[in-house]
């Protein structure tokens, strides 16, 4: 009995890996994923605590494909649901979501799918579980597994409590047979974990806690700089990468947005003061890579699944470490190198205190928030490894140095700034009473300002002793002194600078002041011409398919292609993130681009296989793909010849009077590929001496409309044409019409 069970679970584990490989195109589970999936496949309840970007969705999507019956995924956010379903449908998993954006007819259709057994995963918001229509559905289908995403919403101690999460437990109780139940969250506190187990009615679940470290995110804290200049410089260096800039207030978001637009940086923005329409449009523009820079308050980000965010910049220090870590966690979900940059100035503490003050009337909560603000401030002032500080704060043991934060980094020359520090401090000392930074700067720079004269500061010995500093540089230097607590900064109605014990030690020459040279901005992703070309192709396909580019392929996949140069379909299938369906759908187009690049740059490629399992090989149906995979190991030239054969096959089918649509279906290639075959044939000087049947793709009326628009906007680019025609005309229609025009057929 025991043996059988072990054998069964081994089989199930193998099956899980096969699914991961075939559908997602990944070769192995990440740390944590395997154990959680195994536990669910054993039929046990489970709680999984994983950081943002840790890979929770695969932990329930893969078992959903194995467990018998329907899997219901409870998810709190409408936007997240749609994105997740889009992504898994695109890799061939039968799934759907139900939420308030759907019409009752659409919901009916989904119910029918579920009833006929043609649906594996159904995403719903918790409120839906309470409706009689939904209860009626689940009384008729077998629900084998319920996965609860963002499970901390059930706890009032979590940061986004949702009453309807409390209903999940009785919903599960209503089901005819009790399904396996697994809960997922990124919130790690004990109280929340206990609430999840109790309030969701989990049965003796194993709790899996993955490490909270996000190794691929470099943590930078930058002090004493001109923030705007720094950001502009950084964005210009990383113009092709997507990033979020968080600012503390709406006003600041708007002001940054205006200033960056003035500097020709294309960016979008998000905060609670914008209309619903504008917010969702701006969010979509960012997710679809139409704008790379998003400037936002912390209202932005929940439910954003975009995996290729390369940086998160905090224009102000956030008010607690929880929020900060959640926000920087939005960078690099795809596991690629990313950066978190916190731009600190002492005034940020003042801003956050003010925000807490006006936002919270409950005294106990206010005190708690002040405490958290103090922890955040301590993190910023810490001289030790920032990662260590954060992970320890979340209760995780971490004793090493990460070598991937600005405190660990050895780069940056240390320079002795004791003399300049003494000049500033002695000026403060001589001014007797406390003044603001502006008076101090004006005095040190020898300003002719009336106020300075009225105060008599032009007679101080320190008057004008720092003329060699520009106003901005001196301001930054004073901020840096404050950041290192060599000078105190008192907030209040009129913030002032003041000496402290450390200042006195420096003035007396007992302590020296050494600062690291101000960090320079740098480029996160190194240039690779092929990567850029692949990214353009991805954008083109995403536009045709009306999906965000990351759904086509992730950055990690493009990067791997641009470094390994796959030349055959089989080689391409060895790239992480290339699953079977995507290989079929997009493979040819990506290979074309790689082949052209390899040939024109005369690159010698020695391709080595990495993925252990190749589900493609076990496909016994003889398909077009098999023909391609048998070309394993051929050179670029031979492969081109193979391609030649491939396009000739299309021409032969056209000669046999098959329509474009039928050829695309029959060969499992896209309409665009069929068009490119036809065009290739003509480009090689062949006469199109056969008739081509376009009728099932493009009607005469559509063709006329498109050609009218072409007269107006030209035929160089598809987008301007698409923008002028109504939605029923797709990119495929436009391509076909242009092809007909070019070939005069
Ligand atoms: P979470 O929901 O925990 O924030 P996701 O499920 O969105 O994280 O996963 C984050 C990213 O990691 C996604 O782009 C996903 O495709 C990728 N990923 C997950 N598991 C693996 C794996 N085993 N191998 C490679 N990439 C993975």
């Amino acid at each position: 009995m025991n043996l059988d069970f072990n054998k069964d679970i081994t089989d199930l584990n193998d099956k899980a890996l096969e699914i991961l490989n075939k559908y997602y195109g990944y070769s192995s589970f990440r740390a944590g994923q395997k154990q959680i999936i195994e536990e669910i496949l054993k039929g046990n309840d489970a709680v999984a605590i994983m950081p943002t970007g840790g890979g929770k969705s695969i932990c329930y999507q893969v078992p959903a494909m194995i467990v018998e019956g329907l899997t219901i995924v409870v998810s709190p956010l409408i936007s997240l649901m749609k994105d997740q379903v889009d992504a898994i449908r695109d890799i061939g998993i039968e799934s759907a979501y139900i939420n308030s954006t759907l019409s009752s007819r659409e919901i009916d259709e989904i119910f029918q799918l579920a009833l006929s057994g043609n649906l594996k995963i159904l995403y719903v918001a918790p409120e839906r579980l309470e409706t009689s229509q939904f209860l009626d559905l689940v009384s008729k289908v077998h629900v084998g597994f319920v996965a609860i995403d963002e499970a901390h919403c059930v706890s009032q101690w979590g940061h986004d409590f949702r009453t309807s999460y409390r209903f999940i437990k009785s919903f599960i109780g209503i089901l005819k047979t009790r399904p396996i139940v697994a809960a997922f969250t990124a919130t790690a506190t004990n109280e929340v974990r206990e609430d999840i187990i109790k309030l969701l009615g989990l049965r003796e679940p194993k709790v899996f806690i993955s490490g909270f470290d996000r190794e691929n995110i470099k943590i930078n804290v930058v002090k004493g700089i001109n923030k705007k200049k720094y950001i502009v410089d950084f964005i210009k260096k990383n113009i092709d990468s997507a990033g979020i800039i968080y600012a503390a207030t709406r006003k600041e978001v708007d002001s940054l947005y205006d200033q960056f637009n003035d500097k020709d940086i294309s960016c979008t923005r998000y905060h609670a003061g914008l209309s619903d329409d504008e917010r969702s449009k701006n969010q979509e523009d960012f997710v679809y890579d139409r704008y790379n820079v998003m400037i936002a308050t912390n209202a932005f980000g929940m439910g954003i699944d975009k995996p290729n965010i390369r940086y998160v910049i905090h224009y102000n220090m956030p008010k607690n470490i929880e929020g900060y870590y959640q926000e920087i966690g939005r960078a690099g979900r795809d596991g690629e190198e990313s950066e978190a940059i916190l731009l600190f100035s002492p005034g940020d503490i003042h801003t956050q205190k003010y925000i807490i003050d006006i936002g919270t009337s409950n005294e106990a909560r206010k005190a708690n928030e002040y405490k958290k603000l103090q922890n955040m401030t301590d993190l910023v002032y810490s001289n030790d490894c920032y990662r260590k500080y954060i992970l320890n704060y979340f209760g995780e043991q971490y004793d090493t140095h990460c070598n991937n934060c600005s405190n660990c980094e050895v780069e940056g020359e240390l320079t002795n700034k004791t003399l300049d520090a003494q000049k500033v401090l002695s000026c403060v000392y001589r001014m007797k009473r406390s003044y603001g930074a502006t008076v101090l700067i004006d005095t040190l720079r020898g300003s002719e300002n009336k106020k300075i004269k009225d105060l008599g500061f032009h007679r101080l010995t320190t008057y004008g002793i720092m003329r060699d500093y520009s106003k901005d540089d001196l301001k930054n230097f004073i901020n840096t002194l404050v950041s290192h607590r060599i000078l105190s900064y008192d907030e209040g109605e009129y913030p002032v600078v003041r000496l402290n014990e450390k200042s006195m030690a420096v003035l007396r020459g007992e302590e020296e002041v050494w600062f690291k040279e101000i960090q320079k901005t740098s480029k996160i992703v190194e240039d690779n011409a092929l990567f850029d070309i692949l990214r353009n192709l991805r954008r083109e396909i995403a536009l045709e398919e009306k999906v965000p580019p990351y759904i086509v392929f992730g950055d990690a996949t493009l990067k791997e292609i641009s470094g390994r140069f796959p030349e055959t379909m089989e080689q391409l299938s060895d790239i992480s993130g290339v699953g079977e369906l995507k290989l079929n759908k997009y493979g040819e187009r990506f290979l074309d681009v790689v082949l052209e690049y390899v040939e024109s740059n005369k690159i010698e490629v020695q391709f080595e296989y990495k993925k252990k399992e190749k589900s493609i090989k076990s496909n016994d149906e003889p398909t077009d793909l098999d023909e391609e995979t048998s070309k394993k190991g051929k050179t670029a030239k031979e492969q081109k010849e193979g391609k030649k054969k491939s396009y000739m096959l299309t021409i032969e089918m056209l000669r046999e009077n098959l329509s474009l649509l039928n050829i695309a279906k029959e060969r499992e290639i896209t309409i665009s590929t069929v068009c490119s075959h036809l065009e290739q044939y003509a480009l090689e000087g062949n006469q199109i001496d056969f008739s081509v049947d376009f009728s099932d793709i493009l009607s005469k009326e559509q063709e006329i409309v498109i050609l009218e628009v072409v007269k107006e906007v030209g035929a160089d680019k598809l987008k301007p044409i698409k923008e002028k025609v109504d939605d029923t005309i797709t990119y495929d229609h436009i391509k076909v019409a242009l092809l007909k025009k070019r070939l005069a057929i």
Side-chain angles (χ1 to χ4, degrees):
M1 185 69 197
N2 216 350
L3 256 177
D4 269 345
F5 176 75
N6 281 337
K7 184 185 166 298
D8 283 352
I9 191 68
T10 313
D11 284 351
L12 291 177
N13 283 339
D14 287 351
K15 182 127 187 53
L17 190 61
E18 197 184 307
I19 289 171
L20 184 75
N21 195 216
K22 174 172 165 172
Y23 289 92
Y24 298 83
Y26 297 141
S27 58
S28 57
F29 286 108
R30 283 188 185 157
Q33 287 177 326
K34 191 166 177 284
Q35 290 89 324
I36 296 162
I37 292 173
E38 180 169 330
E39 190 65 14
I40 295 167
L41 292 179
K42 279 182 186 164
N44 298 334
D45 286 1
V47 177
I49 301 170
M50 275 185 164
T52 312
K56 284 186 278 292
S57 11
I58 279 180
C59 295
Y60 52 78
Q61 288 163 358
V62 170
M65 303 282 284
I66 301 173
V67 170
E68 227 172 273
L70 178 70
T71 288
I72 293 178
V73 178
V74 183
S75 170
L77 290 158
I78 292 180
S79 61
L80 200 66
M81 247 181 244
K82 182 179 179 317
D83 289 348
Q84 291 220 349
V85 170
D86 280 350
I88 56 177
R89 270 198 196 146
D90 206 53
I91 57 174
I93 297 176
E94 294 149 334
S95 55
Y97 63 90
I98 300 182
N99 63 28
S100 51
T101 65
L102 301 186
S103 68
S104 54
R105 220 193 68 213
E106 287 168 316
I107 295 178
D108 256 3
E109 281 169 12
I110 293 167
F111 279 10
Q112 288 314 316
L113 269 181
L115 288 168
S116 63
N118 287 321
L119 194 64
K120 273 320 293 177
I121 308 182
L122 180 60
Y123 280 75
V124 293
E127 289 77 12
R128 181 70 42 182
L129 305 175
E130 303 177 50
T131 64
S132 56
Q133 195 194 19
F134 195 75
L135 292 170
D136 183 49
L137 170 79
V138 294
S139 70
K140 294 184 197 135
V141 295
H142 170 56
V143 178
F145 177 31
V146 174
I148 300 144
D149 204 4
E150 313 289 355
H152 61 275
C153 293
V154 78
S155 167
Q156 60 169 331
W157 303 108
H159 43 291
D160 345 90
F161 173 57
R162 288 268 288 256
T163 331
S164 48
Y165 263 68
R166 295 278 168 96
F167 186 72
I168 299 175
K169 183 177 175 181
S170 48
F171 169 77
I172 293 167
I174 290 169
L175 298 173
K176 269 185 294 201
T177 40
R178 182 165 186 297
I180 307 163
V181 184
F184 298 83
T185 178
T187 306
T189 66
N190 283 336
E191 285 158 326
V192 172
R193 191 188 318 158
E194 279 160 20
D195 269 3
I196 287 175
I197 297 175
K198 193 172 84 204
L199 300 172
L200 293 173
L202 302 184
R203 295 188 179 167
E204 296 172 16
K206 255 199 194 160
V207 179
F208 298 87
I209 306 178
S210 307
F212 262 60
D213 188 9
R214 295 285 309 283
E215 289 170 13
N216 61 316
I217 303 177
K218 180 171 175 197
I219 301 173
N220 296 288
V221 178
V222 185
K223 305 165 193 164
I225 41 124
N226 178 329
K227 295 184 180 191
K228 284 188 190 125
K229 207 164 147 273
Y230 184 97
I231 298 182
V232 170
D233 201 29
F234 181 89
I235 295 178
K236 290 205 163 147
K237 281 201 176 111
N238 292 283
I239 200 86
D240 289 328
S241 298
I244 307 174
I245 298 165
Y246 280 113
T249 61
R250 297 176 194 181
K251 213 171 114 198
E252 235 153 12
V253 168
D254 288 337
S255 134
L256 286 174
Y257 175 79
D258 291 339
Q259 291 180 44
F260 290 171
N261 267 313
D262 276 352
K263 291 201 159 44
D264 281 342
I265 291 175
S266 79
C267 51
T268 183
R269 66 181 154 169
Y270 191 104
H271 60 65
L274 303 175
S275 69
D276 285 355
D277 282 352
E278 190 172 356
R279 272 201 314 250
S280 61
K281 183 185 171 300
N282 294 357
Q283 172 168 327
E284 190 185 288
D285 280 346
F286 180 65
V287 171
Y288 278 69
D289 292 355
R290 289 176 209 131
Y291 285 104
N292 270 342
V293 182
M294 167 58 88
I295 307 170
T297 58
N298 61 5
F300 178 76
M302 264 284 259
I304 303 294
D305 241 357
K306 186 177 164 73
N308 59 338
I309 297 173
R310 290 275 72 84
Y311 62 87
V312 170
I313 297 179
H314 281 92
Y315 183 73
N316 309 98
M317 178 186 77
K319 64 174 188 275
N320 54 47
I321 298 182
E322 285 86 348
Y324 169 67
Y325 203 57
Q326 187 177 39
E327 280 150 22
I328 69 169
R330 293 183 181 131
R333 294 168 82 111
D334 53 10
E336 293 293 296
E337 256 175 61
S338 308
E339 288 207 21
I341 302 172
L342 194 166
L343 303 177
F344 176 73
S345 66
D348 293 341
I349 306 174
H350 182 66
T351 311
Q352 294 297 9
K353 270 195 182 148
Y354 176 75
I355 292 176
I356 294 174
D357 237 15
I358 56 163
T360 325
S361 53
N362 178 315
E363 283 308 314
R365 281 214 355 237
K366 198 180 263 188
N368 188 37
E369 291 200 29
Y370 278 141
K371 202 175 110 216
K372 285 180 186 288
L373 175 60
Q374 188 57 50
N375 292 135
M376 183 73 222
T377 315
D378 289 346
L379 164 71
V380 168
Y381 284 126
S382 155
N383 287 320
D384 202 0
C385 171
Y386 289 124
R387 194 175 308 271
K388 183 170 155 192
Y389 191 104
I390 294 169
L391 293 175
N392 289 347
Y393 178 81
F394 288 121
E396 199 171 315
Q397 220 32 35
Y398 189 91
D399 297 323
T400 47
H401 282 93
C402 73
N403 289 326
N404 197 22
C405 75
S406 51
N407 264 349
C408 280
E409 206 164 44
V410 277
E411 268 173 42
E413 281 285 289
L414 275 174
T415 35
N416 190 337
K417 294 282 183 192
T418 313
L419 189 64
D420 282 353
Q422 286 171 334
K423 287 181 185 169
V424 174
L425 300 177
S426 68
C427 188
V428 178
Y429 183 79
R430 272 155 233 276
M431 290 182 342
K432 301 273 191 297
R433 282 181 36 229
S434 298
Y435 291 92
T438 317
V439 173
L440 178 62
I441 292 167
D442 283 348
T443 309
L444 284 163
R445 295 187 68 251
S447 158
E448 300 291 328
N449 189 323
K450 181 166 179 298
K451 187 170 177 193
I452 301 297
K453 298 245 163 90
D454 288 351
L455 288 165
F457 288 169
H458 59 297
R459 286 192 292 270
L460 296 180
T461 49
T462 48
Y463 178 77
I465 52 168
M466 293 187 89
R467 280 206 174 89
D468 50 335
Y469 268 77
S470 74
K471 216 174 193 163
D472 271 351
D473 286 348
L474 190 51
K475 190 168 167 211
N476 289 336
F477 182 65
I478 291 169
N479 275 341
T480 313
L481 289 173
V482 175
S483 306
H484 286 76
R485 298 187 166 169
I486 294 167
L487 186 63
S488 288
Y489 180 79
D490 282 347
E491 291 121 20
E493 206 179 337
Y494 303 105
V496 293
V497 288
R498 193 170 47 74
L499 299 182
N500 58 27
E501 270 180 37
K502 218 169 168 178
S503 331
M504 298 315 289
V506 172
L507 274 174
R508 286 195 296 263
E510 293 159 6
E511 253 184 56
E512 291 195 329
V513 177
W514 290 81
F515 288 157
K516 250 183 211 172
E517 273 304 295
I518 285 167
Q519 278 165 287
K520 302 250 158 36
T521 56
S522 62
K523 201 166 170 167
I524 312 168
V525 187
E526 271 321 310
D527 262 337
N528 176 327
L530 180 56
F531 182 75
D532 281 347
I533 297 169
L534 294 169
R535 191 156 46 185
N536 283 341
L537 174 60
R538 171 175 74 177
R539 194 172 295 135
E540 191 184 308
I541 295 175
L543 214 60
E544 290 165 19
E545 308 225 334
K546 298 198 176 75
V547 293
Y550 73 79
I551 296 231
V552 177
F553 280 134
D555 278 15
T557 302
L558 297 193
K559 201 169 156 196
E560 200 175 320
I561 296 178
S562 71
R564 290 177 69 198
F565 308 108
E567 295 181 333
T568 65
M569 290 290 259
E570 169 146 34
Q571 289 177 358
L572 187 59
S573 78
D574 196 60
I575 304 289
S576 180
V578 183
E580 204 171 284
L581 200 75
K582 286 193 182 170
L583 180 70
N584 267 319
K585 255 168 114 175
Y586 314 127
E588 286 212 28
R589 288 171 78 177
F590 279 90
L591 279 183
D592 278 348
V593 165
V594 176
L595 283 170
E596 199 183 315
Y597 186 83
V598 166
E599 276 200 352
S600 54
N601 292 287
K602 302 194 174 38
I603 296 169
E604 290 277 324
V605 183
Q606 196 70 41
F607 194 90
E608 277 173 31
Y609 285 87
K610 284 187 182 162
K611 276 191 195 168
K612 289 186 204 90
E613 304 265 338
K614 280 193 207 72
S615 49
I616 277 169
K617 273 191 183 160
S618 60
N619 224 354
D620 21 51
E621 293 281 314
T623 59
D624 195 39
L625 190 63
D626 277 331
E627 186 209 316
E628 296 284 350
T629 54
S630 67
K631 288 173 199 152
K632 179 184 173 188
K634 289 187 178 173
T635 62
K637 190 158 158 272
E638 283 167 334
Q639 169 68 14
K640 263 252 153 108
E641 255 147 39
K643 293 218 141 289
K644 199 162 184 176
K645 239 177 47 207
S646 167
Y647 97 73
M648 280 310 292
L649 188 63
T650 300
I651 301 301
E652 268 166 40
M653 290 169 100
L654 282 170
R655 280 186 192 282
E656 279 166 25
N657 260 336
L658 262 88
S659 73
L660 248 66
L661 192 60
N662 280 335
I663 298 172
K665 279 189 186 152
E666 182 95 14
R667 302 202 57 201
E668 294 186 40
I669 53 181
T670 60
I671 302 228
S672 310
T673 307
V674 179
C675 289
S676 69
H677 287 168
L678 187 56
E679 184 145 47
Q680 179 72 22
Y681 182 72
L683 275 175
E684 289 181 6
N686 298 301
Q687 282 292 325
I688 312 271
D689 52 1
F690 44 86
S691 65
V692 183
D693 180 4
F694 294 103
S695 61
D696 52 2
I697 296 184
L698 183 73
S699 70
K700 199 71 214 158
E701 293 76 40
Q702 287 171 323
E703 189 182 358
I704 293 170
V705 172
I706 295 167
L707 294 181
E708 273 306 307
V709 175
V710 168
K711 274 190 204 150
E712 206 181 314
V713 299
D716 290 347
K717 288 202 175 112
L718 301 185
K719 197 171 172 205
I721 306 174
K722 180 79 176 80
E723 278 168 354
K724 293 236 156 182
V725 292
D726 70 63
D727 276 345
T728 58
I729 294 183
T730 64
Y731 276 99
D732 272 342
H733 291 134
I734 300 171
K735 279 187 188 159
V736 172
L738 293 179
L739 181 73
K740 279 188 75 179
K741 183 169 182 283
R742 273 201 299 277
L743 304 184
I745 47 178

